Amino acid sequence: MHQQTSETFDRNAREALADVQLRGALRNLATTFGGRRKEAIATVEDWEGLRDRARAAKDETLAHLDKYLEQFVGNAEKAGAQIHWARDGAEACRIVLDLIRARGASRLVKSKSMATEEIHLNAALEAEGLAPVETDLGEWIIQLAHETPSHIVVPAIHKSKRQIAELFAEKVGIEPTDDVAVLTGAARRILRRSFAEAEVGISGVNFGVAETGTILILENEGNARLTTSLPRTHIAVMGIEKVIPKFTDLDVFLKLLPRSGTGQRLTAYQSLITGTKRRPEDEGPEELHLVLMDNGRSRMLSHPVTRQSLACIRCGACLNACPVYQQVGGHAYGSVYPGPIGAVITPQLSGLKQSAQLPYASSLCGACREVCPVKIDIPELLLHLRAEVTEGTAAGTAAQHGPVKSRPLERLAFGLYARAWSSPTLYLWGARVARLLQGAVVRKGRIGKVGGLLAKLAPPLAAWTEWRDAPPLAPRTFREQWREEQKR
Amino acid sequence: MRVSLFITCLIDQLWPSVGSSAVEVLRRAGCEVVFDERQTCCGQPAFNTGYRAEARRLARRFIEIFEEGGADYVVSPSGSCTAMAHHFHELFADDEAWRRRAEALAARTYEFGGFLVNVLKVEDVGASFKGRVTWHDACHGLRDLGLREEPRRLIRGVRGAEFVELANADSCCGFGGTFSVKYPEISVAILDNKIDAIEKAGVRAVVSGDASCLMQIGGRLTRNNSSVKTMHLAELLASRE
């Protein structure tokens, strides 16, 4: 398999579609997660109202992000946390690395975090000989297999039980079994040891409450609780958009996130962490370091359309609902953020030059917008980015990392279309000419697979007819029929 | 009531019978139907592919044409193209005058089925059809315009037609405009889920409100030599058998 990047989305997708194992793993995604989500949201009285409140809280935060960040930082520091600002991923990685080195630590545990995936923190630490142990079961599996997550919430969704059993047999040295209890038991045994030895715990953050300086981490396995409480030092990496104004806002988000993500009313664990431990006899880490990371977020903030990307709470509901993701899975996107939200965020993080395909990797069906708990208009964002791709203008996204590859033929085609379709005469004569020409390809009232020269001259027609018949142009257009009717 | 018909390019060129069916049903429902022959396309292909200048050009034309003629409403047998007319204002974010014109036009522009049920308050248009039919929710009619029950009520009003709900009726057929030829393999993989559901429904016809979805679904059905046929809602409602 080739190196999967967002630049090669088309190739990645074709490979994914041919991967029988992957398609089996993805088959039940929509029904299981989509179905559980539906059941879970039915337990809330006013789901729509809740979504509106969540979005309003996010909009308020993003409109005054500087103020809320300042408040958050002030209160977190008061509670004993140390704050580090990172402009980009490289800086965030360096900060974490320096903190670990300064403590002479080498045994590290880590809980699941998209922010650290985004900046490839593990790779940066491994390059310095400091590999943290991933303690979320899914992430641990991925780490053992030397792969990347393929889903925001369920990182190993692409793997079958059998593959995991084989992986455990090879890496952990247990007898191959499909007994889930035995597999998780083995993982627990090994991870417990890592927890007990760990000197530094690394986590992400789901929400940072400005009013109290508290961070909230949601999870189901208890591993994040252990990661953030057992080691002497806790380092939490968070995007600057994770701040929310009030503690009571959590009421809204705690109802929305677990229901949207896994279809749970609430995750098994919610860790609320405010600073470090106060007295020697208290439990918890002695040091808490919060790494507040920008990494492209200020740029997203600067435009009213792209700003809504920052409202995302990383629930993954749009992935589960997306017909494209359901077919190709997460790796095809070549980014830690796959699916509809990934198609929107990735180009804004890594530049449209590398990710120009992603905004087009959608049928614009709107299923993502329908399930998004914070009402992000993902189709609107996709269209915004598509316009940036063709215009090469943009509020920074397109220009960043170099210009987008131009598409002269497509541009020409749309230019001609806009011109011809602006003239009823050209439009009509175009139809008449096409009607004359189509005789060469219409068989039994339809256009079957076209090949040869025509396929080369008209790639869209070839792409269409490879798997689908195309309808022939009607002998008379509606307008011709109408005109005749008016004459009578 | 005077209704100005917007016939989409696909319908004009490929299925003019959908247009004449829409005319017949609207007349039956008591409307005076006018059709401005200068109309061509709403510009959606350009808009959805990122060519805003081209889309803007066609949108201005569309607005100018449909502002004239003194019709009370603009009606189109397409959820997708109607939704495009509702999106026009986004093309004029920096142009107050055009934005107002776009918004004013959008406010009286309706999708065919939604217009019958919500404006004319008609659910029985006197149609009859023999056999079992099912409905595919075209995404833009459903999610951009919020039309879920309207087409179902109209189909239930057709004498002789037995309506069955399609499994995952509201999931995409995989068309997506240029998506269908930019990523044909993905488009068809999505489509095949839809085809499976249609075949399992055991129907004579699958009905939808958008010619584009019907082109996608129908193209695969005929390629598979299926006996199920595709029908536009307007055709079903004009049917008398």
Side-chain angles (χ1 to χ4, degrees):
Chain A
M1 191 180 278
H2 67 284
Q3 172 77 27
Q4 291 189 320
T5 66
S6 52
E7 258 177 312
T8 56
F9 174 79
D10 47 355
R11 230 175 109 189
N12 310 342
R14 276 196 295 274
E15 285 175 1
L17 288 171
D19 185 339
V20 177
Q21 189 286 124
L22 175 67
R23 291 174 67 83
L26 291 171
R27 191 160 298 137
N28 299 321
L29 182 77
T31 38
T32 42
F33 284 94
R36 277 185 220 157
R37 175 190 163 274
K38 253 181 210 160
E39 282 169 29
I41 69 174
T43 63
V44 177
E45 207 162 285
D46 181 17
W47 182 253
E48 287 308 306
L50 210 56
R51 289 172 81 201
D52 286 331
R53 281 171 60 199
R55 181 56 187 272
K58 279 288 182 183
D59 283 346
E60 162 64 20
T61 315
L62 295 172
H64 309 285
L65 191 56
D66 52 344
K67 180 183 101 181
Y68 288 114
L69 274 174
E70 209 174 298
Q71 199 188 350
F72 171 73
V73 163
N75 288 324
E77 278 177 336
K78 232 179 280 166
Q82 295 176 59
I83 307 294
H84 310 266
W85 297 94
R87 257 164 304 212
D88 54 26
E91 196 173 355
C93 288
R94 200 165 54 245
I95 290 166
V96 175
L97 183 65
D98 288 347
L99 286 169
I100 294 167
R101 278 204 181 125
R103 275 143 200 87
S106 60
R107 283 164 297 189
L108 322 169
V109 286
K110 185 166 168 292
S111 62
K112 186 173 155 21
S113 134
M114 286 314 296
T116 57
E117 292 289 347
E118 176 186 318
I119 60 175
H120 305 289
L121 177 64
N122 283 4
L125 295 179
E126 277 162 27
E128 303 295 326
L130 291 164
V133 176
E134 289 286 353
T135 59
D136 170 88
L137 183 60
E139 289 285 349
W140 190 61
I141 290 168
I142 295 300
Q143 191 176 39
L144 285 180
H146 300 290
E147 291 177 11
T148 53
S150 69
H151 190 289
I152 290 175
V153 177
V154 209
I157 186 91
H158 59 284
K159 294 195 98 61
S160 68
K161 200 157 69 176
R162 218 188 90 211
Q163 284 179 316
I164 293 168
E166 284 166 6
L167 180 73
F168 275 38
E170 183 199 331
K171 305 272 179 175
V172 182
I174 60 165
E175 287 296 308
T177 172
D178 61 355
D179 186 336
V180 175
V182 173
L183 293 171
T184 51
R188 180 177 290 121
R189 221 170 33 247
I190 293 163
L191 289 174
R192 288 269 153 160
R193 208 158 49 226
S194 301
F195 281 125
E197 293 170 351
E199 298 149 311
V200 174
I202 303 167
S203 79
V205 169
N206 287 107
F207 301 97
V209 182
E211 160 179 86
T212 57
T214 305
I215 58 172
L216 171 62
I217 298 167
L218 300 176
E219 46 130 2
N220 282 312
E221 295 166 17
N223 65 302
R225 175 73 53 85
L226 291 171
T227 300
T228 58
S229 57
L230 279 184
R232 273 194 60 218
T233 306
H234 172 198
I235 305 172
V237 181
M238 67 185 273
I240 51 172
E241 86 285 14
K242 290 286 168 198
V243 165
I244 54 171
K246 293 198 188 72
F247 203 82
T248 48
D249 292 328
L250 287 176
D251 169 45
V252 178
F253 289 107
L254 279 174
K255 284 188 181 121
L256 284 171
L257 180 49
R259 283 180 171 83
S260 300
T262 46
Q264 293 171 286
R265 292 189 189 198
L266 196 57
T267 47
Y269 295 85
Q270 310 85 40
S271 301
L272 290 147
I273 301 164
T274 312
T276 47
K277 67 173 182 179
R278 310 282 150 82
R279 301 165 305 173
E281 62 270 33
D282 285 346
E283 288 177 352
E286 286 160 27
E287 291 179 62
L288 170 61
H289 297 271
L290 297 177
V291 182
L292 287 153
M293 171 175 87
D294 185 321
N295 202 32
R297 286 159 175 78
S298 308
R299 199 169 44 240
M300 295 187 206
L301 193 66
S302 66
H303 191 284
V305 173
T306 57
R307 176 178 295 179
Q308 56 181 324
S309 326
L310 296 174
C312 176
I313 55 173
R314 309 284 191 260
C315 72
C318 62
L319 279 58
N320 305 335
C322 176
V324 175
Y325 182 91
Q326 286 168 14
Q327 294 300 328
V328 304
H331 287 151
Y333 293 80
S335 160
V336 296
Y337 297 117
I341 194 66
V344 158
I345 289 180
T346 304
Q348 299 189 70
L349 289 177
S350 62
L352 265 180
K353 184 175 186 282
Q354 281 83 0
S355 313
Q357 284 201 54
L358 295 187
Y360 291 93
S362 162
S363 68
L364 300 174
C365 79
C368 47
R369 181 181 53 200
E370 194 173 61
V371 298
C372 177
V374 285
K375 291 195 168 179
I376 300 175
D377 193 341
I378 294 177
E380 182 190 23
L381 279 159
L382 291 168
L383 288 172
H384 177 87
L385 292 170
R386 288 180 187 190
E388 288 197 2
V389 168
T390 67
E391 289 158 19
T393 53
T397 315
Q400 184 203 356
H401 304 291
V404 180
K405 207 171 111 196
S406 68
R407 307 164 171 214
L409 279 179
E410 187 181 271
R411 174 161 292 288
L412 180 71
F414 275 100
L416 285 173
Y417 148 84
R419 234 169 242 132
W421 261 240
S422 293
S423 150
T425 320
L426 275 176
Y427 173 83
L428 193 62
W429 280 101
R432 285 183 180 156
V433 171
R435 238 153 39 196
L436 278 175
L437 293 176
Q438 72 171 353
V441 285
V442 177
R443 300 277 179 276
K444 293 183 195 161
R446 54 178 124 135
I447 302 167
K449 191 170 166 175
V450 303
L453 184 63
L454 185 59
K456 287 206 177 64
L457 285 173
L461 184 64
W464 181 277
T465 59
E466 175 80 27
W467 297 279
R468 295 155 289 200
D469 292 335
L473 297 167
R476 285 183 316 151
T477 60
F478 173 80
R479 75 194 55 227
E480 287 166 312
Q481 294 183 15
W482 175 269
R483 197 174 291 166
E484 278 164 36
E485 192 206 88
Q486 297 300 301
K487 278 185 199 151
R488 278 202 292 272
Chain B
M1 186 183 291
R2 199 174 157 96
V3 168
S4 183
L5 203 56
F6 171 55
I7 293 300
T8 73
C9 3
L10 280 188
I11 292 174
D12 185 42
Q13 301 281 350
L14 302 171
W15 294 288
S17 65
V18 173
S20 43
S21 297
V23 173
E24 191 185 325
V25 173
L26 287 168
R27 280 182 182 154
R28 219 189 278 163
C31 298
E32 181 203 345
V33 181
V34 296
F35 176 78
D36 191 317
E37 290 181 34
R38 292 173 298 166
Q39 65 177 267
T40 56
C41 177
C42 62
Q44 187 180 188
F47 182 71
N48 282 1
T49 316
Y51 292 89
R52 298 233 161 156
E54 288 77 3
R56 207 171 287 122
R57 179 174 178 169
L58 290 165
R60 282 206 184 97
R61 230 186 136 252
F62 185 102
I63 294 166
E64 279 168 350
I65 289 169
F66 284 98
E67 277 174 348
E68 293 170 18
D72 303 294
Y73 297 99
V74 177
V75 173
S76 179
S78 162
S80 187
C81 302
T82 303
M84 182 66 229
H86 286 248
H87 282 292
F88 279 163
H89 67 92
E90 293 168 24
L91 287 166
F92 303 110
D94 307 319
D95 190 336
E96 169 97 25
W98 273 101
R99 197 176 65 239
R100 279 168 194 260
R101 289 171 75 176
E103 282 165 354
L105 182 65
R108 57 186 184 89
T109 301
Y110 286 84
E111 185 276 335
F112 171 74
F115 181 72
L116 288 173
V117 173
N118 297 329
V119 180
L120 298 180
K121 313 283 179 201
V122 175
E123 289 181 23
D124 179 354
V125 294
S128 55
F129 183 83
K130 289 196 191 76
R132 202 194 251 245
V133 295
T134 192
W135 170 258
H136 160 67
D137 285 295
C139 295
H140 295 163
L142 176 70
R143 298 197 185 85
D144 282 36
L145 303 175
L147 303 169
R148 187 184 289 271
E149 288 312 312
E150 289 84 347
R152 288 171 172 79
R153 275 150 71 176
L154 288 163
I155 295 173
R156 288 204 176 91
V158 177
R159 267 169 287 280
E162 184 201 342
F163 174 68
V164 288
E165 192 66 50
L166 189 64
N168 301 318
D170 62 356
S171 68
C172 180
C173 69
F175 175 69
T178 44
F179 172 77
S180 65
V181 288
K182 273 185 192 284
Y183 299 107
E185 296 93 344
I186 308 175
S187 172
V188 172
I190 297 169
L191 171 60
D192 278 344
N193 285 341
K194 185 60 69 175
I195 298 293
D196 284 348
I198 292 168
E199 294 293 357
K200 282 200 185 101
V203 290
R204 183 179 161 203
V206 53
V207 186
S208 190
D210 256 302
S212 46
C213 304
L214 293 171
M215 181 166 75
Q216 166 93 342
I217 293 168
R220 191 69 171 161
L221 285 173
T222 60
R223 180 63 60 94
N224 293 349
N225 295 314
S226 169
S227 62
V228 181
K229 67 173 194 164
T230 49
M231 271 182 115
H232 193 283
L233 179 65
E235 291 175 305
L236 180 71
L237 298 184
S239 159
R240 305 249 199 177
E241 60 172 44

